[in-house]
Amino acid sequence: MTRLNFTVNGQATTVEVRENEYLAEVLRYRLGLTGTKIGCNEAECGICTVLVNGAPVDSCIYPALKAEGTSVLTIEGLAESWNVELRMQNAESSLHPPPSKQSEGGSSFLLHPLQQAFAQGGAPQCGFCIPGAILTAKALIDTNPDPSEHDIKVALKDTYCRCAGYSFITNAIQAAARSIRTGEPLPADLYPLPETKTPLKVIGRPLPRPDAIDKVTGAAKYADDYAFPNMLHARTLRAKYPHARIKRIDTAKAKALPGVQAVLTAEDVPGEKNHGLVIKDWPALAYEKVRYIGDPVAIVAADTREIATQALELIEVAYEPLPVVDNPVYANQPDAPQVHASGNLLKHIKVRKGDVEQGFAESDVILEREFRTACTEHAFLEPECAIGRVTDDGRIEVYVGSQIPYQDRSQIAACLDLPERQVRVIGALIGGGFGGKEDIAGQIHVALLAQATGRPVKMLYDRHESLLFHPKRHATLIRVKMGAHRDGTLVAVQTELYGDTGAYASLGEKVMTRATTHSAGPYAVPHMRADCYAMYTNNPPAGAFRGFGVTQSAFAVESMLDILAEELSIDPIELRRKNALRVGSVTNTGQALRESVGLLECLDRVEREIRRTPFAPVLRPASFVSGKVRAWGVAVGYKNTGLGGGAPDKAGAEVELFADGTAEVRTSSAEIGQGLVGVCAMAAAEELGLPYPRVRVLLSDTDLTPDGGPTTASRQTYVTGNAVRLAARALREALAATLAEKYDAPPNRIRFEEGLAQVNGHRIALGDAARLIKAEGREPKALHEYWAPQTQPLGTGGDMHFAFSYAAQAAEVEVDLDTGEVHVLRLVAAHDIGRAINPLALQGQIEGGMIMGLGNALTEEFIVEQGIPFTDTLARYKMPSIKHAPKITSFIVEDETADGPWGAKGVGEIASIPTTPAITNAIYHACGVRVTSLPVDQDKLLRALKAGRHEC
């Protein structure tokens, strides 16, 4: 150990460090400054950025001893450093920039303008990247007090935001720089938003997230930010082969290593050996054989992470390698090796509507094409982490950032052979999910190790392990046959899909069902047939990912619509308008649409905007400029809100009013950056007549919060939002009944506004009303379990879903004909989301989803070769950074649905669905090459251009 002397956040600090420690580790684990996040350990994502002598550094690879004698600034010290700077300025002049004040310890305390602008302007979503982005921005404006958009893109090009709030970040930096430069406060409406309906008291207003201040100051706590006394550290031994029999496991040497407290294998799992969200086929610890490189073979708990890592190397495993099944088409062949004893077919999914053969016979034009989409990686910036501990009364507690805490609890309990009441899952903040934190990661492992050792155990994955382990987006092969009349009327669509669901089921059956049911697009097609084969392989499992299968099928069907438009010489927008779903249409699954179908208005909004460009926006490219050509492309999409398919879809919420006039909302639903905390607070505030800041929200604790169901399927605003709305309404009615009796007034004449009840000329604080209820021997709280409208399983007719969101998007791209490079210059979008609950958070979801769709189109692929991942570091996965962010023009269509809260539907997934085909359609219009395989390969595109081919 070596003594390190340096200044941290203005305080002289001395700490003993190891010679191989990095600065981020010292800050986080020795000094407790957990605002500094670690996302990759390879200086790739930039979220670990701190300032060393004013310069931004990637602290995850910055040797700690290199900081000797330096001054280090972390996010926790930014506000104080700003206050010191202001005091110095005040001593020299009367200038005093006045950003909003925050109260800390009863004293006046100013956030740095960057922190205030990020919070107020909607930049934090999941929040995990925000400390690094703010500190990188501080270094920029310290040297460049008036940065342009280009300057910001250069400075932050290596600081990623997977929620992709890049325009919000850019806007916040410029606003903060302006405030510092001029001494003027930040504007009230910091981020320009699309027009929405007239707001109610709270609903419909662009309000900052309740957790925004914690996220910009470093106070927000994610799973790895928690620590317990005497805590052990755990690691997992992963499979050596993608497919092999396990002949022998010898853990003796690992157990003998000093500092190792436990080494467990499948023999040590006391309960069920497998877990799974739909099908229990995924071993908690591998037994008999391994089916992919990420399979866990053994787990170790030791005094330090380093010792646990050493112990992994001492575990001896004898394998008998087996043939690898590396793609779903091969998996479906009769001679393919069997991944599971039950076979390689997870599910054959069928959709039937009308008579497709008759439809093709009636068609004037029939087209057929084949499309491929890649396996892609969620790349959430917070790697998986879980902490398990045994409480004094013998229960198991697990701290984890999970999208489904109640299902975590049931799976943990089953594997540990415990009653569910003996397990408590406590949700930490989640640093991005996008579907990738629905499956079990380390939850069962830390529970097993805590039970075995009697000590708290933390299991933190590094980025390499995260990439190997967790489920991905399904790679697919999609064949489309489309028939139409000469006037463009669609008559028949037939699709055949192969989905690579990897080694285990995860949510593959559900994802590929959604891909299949949406595979003819949001169009009224009288004859439709679809067959999907969701196949097991020895690739990493594939499960939920934003878009949930519809991202893949939308690429295929929207490409086909453009091909058909060219074949018939019809404008692509007009072709879509002619066939678009509308009220009265019947979907591919036979569901009659009775309301809330805003697709045509979405198309109209987008068309009006892109027609303003000086060249024909869809059918013809712009003029050639230095070997580069530009063109527009258009695509549309739709996505169900809620689980659908007959699954029971419900959420519980409890709302309690306190004597101080504040309220608390409780539900287990997970916040993954989508803005659920704000939705819950706004719903309760609207119903109770409380100011928004006086409502707090408690999420994801299976002991303290009712089950809100999974955070998936764009369902939380609709289902949990309704649960909160109705619980708050029940509480308001209870308050009204008590006040009506006391003041002899009809309950319906009592008004609730601004934290007061107005009755017969009296103005009663709601806190006093809460006391009145308690005085009657009752609690001022209400619990409501909301059940969404009933749906029907696929193939049984009726409503398969209770709501759909719709979108139209257009992309302007530039193709370099000399290099094959593609740049997206502008995105235009219109989304029908029913009702904008919070336009600020809504726009964040829209822009983030579209940037993710851009990455899906142009850069992202998780490469696996013969079951071995090539993409085993973040540097090998190319997701969009701020430098890729185009100008985005957004329109909101509010075609309300009857049962949604204030008419709202989901938005989290629909925003990402049409982006990819809009971009690939634009590429074709620009250069005449049709992209049929994702992502767009620059070299393949260039070769096609040079060879005069029309597909790549």
Side-chain angles (χ1 to χ4, degrees), residues 188-263:
D189 298 323
L190 198 148
Y191 192 83
L193 294 170
E195 181 180 349
T196 54
K197 289 184 177 179
T198 302
L200 306 177
K201 291 178 291 185
V202 180
I203 295 298
R205 298 188 183 277
L207 299 171
R209 296 165 183 260
D211 54 10
I213 296 299
D214 283 350
K215 288 176 176 176
V216 301
T217 59
K221 295 190 73 172
Y222 302 80
D224 187 38
D225 299 336
Y226 289 87
F228 293 93
N230 208 28
M231 187 171 71
L232 300 173
H233 297 268
R235 295 298 310 273
T236 305
L237 181 67
R238 301 286 172 186
K240 185 178 181 180
Y241 300 96
H243 198 197
R245 286 192 179 89
I246 300 173
K247 306 298 287 185
R248 178 179 58 86
I249 303 175
D250 188 345
T251 62
K253 292 178 181 178
K255 289 178 177 177
L257 183 67
V260 170
Q261 304 300 326
V263 182

